[in-house]
Amino acid sequence: KTAPHFIVNPLTGDPASTKDGAKETLRGDGCVAAFRYALVEFDNLTREEQLRFWSSIRLPVVALLDSGGKSVHGILDVRKLAQVVTLEEWTTHIRGRLYDRILKPLGIDMACSNPARLSRLPGYFRSEKRAWQRLLWLSPEGRPVTP
């Protein structure tokens, strides 16, 4: 059984082509209705290192989520970083500038840099990990994390 997830950005409800164009999907990047948030996670840092990262970086953090495993998922308010209305603008401003230039050199998981990325839903107990998926930080206005 897979633990529940959510997509960080709202979807249109209309089908769109997958990246390779082979079929249609209801939850792909082409289905994003509004480009509001970006998911950031690490696969190569300990939990303590991830928490130190989040408490030191000066980015508009909306939420930090404990995955119930080894990761802390950060959700950033990208509206404070760039005006993004289309997938092409996401690719240029968020993927190109935020992820490629700033976050990639810091070791984030680049597989999570698309706008329709799934994150772990807080409040679910992952029996295979014997741990809860939890909300660690919430700031609806998006601001740097403070201890």
Side-chain angles (χ1 to χ4, degrees), residues 22-83:
K23 59 183 179 176
E24 289 195 328
T25 181
L26 290 170
R27 65 173 190 93
D29 294 340
C31 301
V32 173
F35 299 87
R36 299 176 184 159
Y37 305 106
L39 177 70
V40 177
E41 76 170 276
F42 294 89
D43 283 334
N44 58 347
L45 298 180
T46 66
R47 284 182 49 80
E48 293 75 24
E49 291 169 328
Q50 291 175 62
L51 293 172
R52 276 197 301 274
F53 168 84
W54 288 113
S55 65
S56 64
I57 194 89
R58 308 292 299 162
L59 289 171
V61 180
V62 174
L64 293 179
L65 308 172
D66 182 332
S67 70
K70 63 181 181 175
S71 293
V72 173
H73 294 189
I75 300 175
L76 304 179
D77 186 341
V78 298
R79 296 170 296 183
K80 294 190 174 199
L81 303 174
Q83 180 71 12

Side-chain angles (χ1 to χ4, degrees), residues 6-133:
F6 70 99
I7 295 177
V8 298
N9 286 301
L11 302 178
T12 63
D14 297 324
S17 294
T18 56
K19 287 181 186 176
D20 64 7
K23 59 183 179 176
E24 289 195 328
T25 181
L26 290 170
R27 65 173 190 93
D29 294 340
C31 301
V32 173
F35 299 87
R36 299 176 184 159
Y37 305 106
L39 177 70
V40 177
E41 76 170 276
F42 294 89
D43 283 334
N44 58 347
L45 298 180
T46 66
R47 284 182 49 80
E48 293 75 24
E49 291 169 328
Q50 291 175 62
L51 293 172
R52 276 197 301 274
F53 168 84
W54 288 113
S55 65
S56 64
I57 194 89
R58 308 292 299 162
L59 289 171
V61 180
V62 174
L64 293 179
L65 308 172
D66 182 332
S67 70
K70 63 181 181 175
S71 293
V72 173
H73 294 189
I75 300 175
L76 304 179
D77 186 341
V78 298
R79 296 170 296 183
K80 294 190 174 199
L81 303 174
Q83 180 71 12
V84 176
V85 179
T86 66
L87 184 55
E88 292 76 25
E89 290 173 343
W90 175 279
T91 302
T92 299
H93 298 292
I94 305 306
R95 171 72 193 220
R97 293 185 183 145
L98 175 64
Y99 283 98
D100 289 342
R101 291 185 192 163
I102 297 170
L103 298 172
K104 183 179 180 180
L106 298 173
I108 64 119
D109 181 358
M110 288 297 289
C112 297
S113 62
N114 64 307
R117 179 52 54 179
L118 293 168
S119 184
R120 298 280 179 175
L121 184 66
Y124 181 81
F125 185 75
R126 291 182 67 183
S127 57
E128 79 281 9
K129 300 281 187 181
R130 302 189 55 118
W132 286 94
Q133 295 173 178

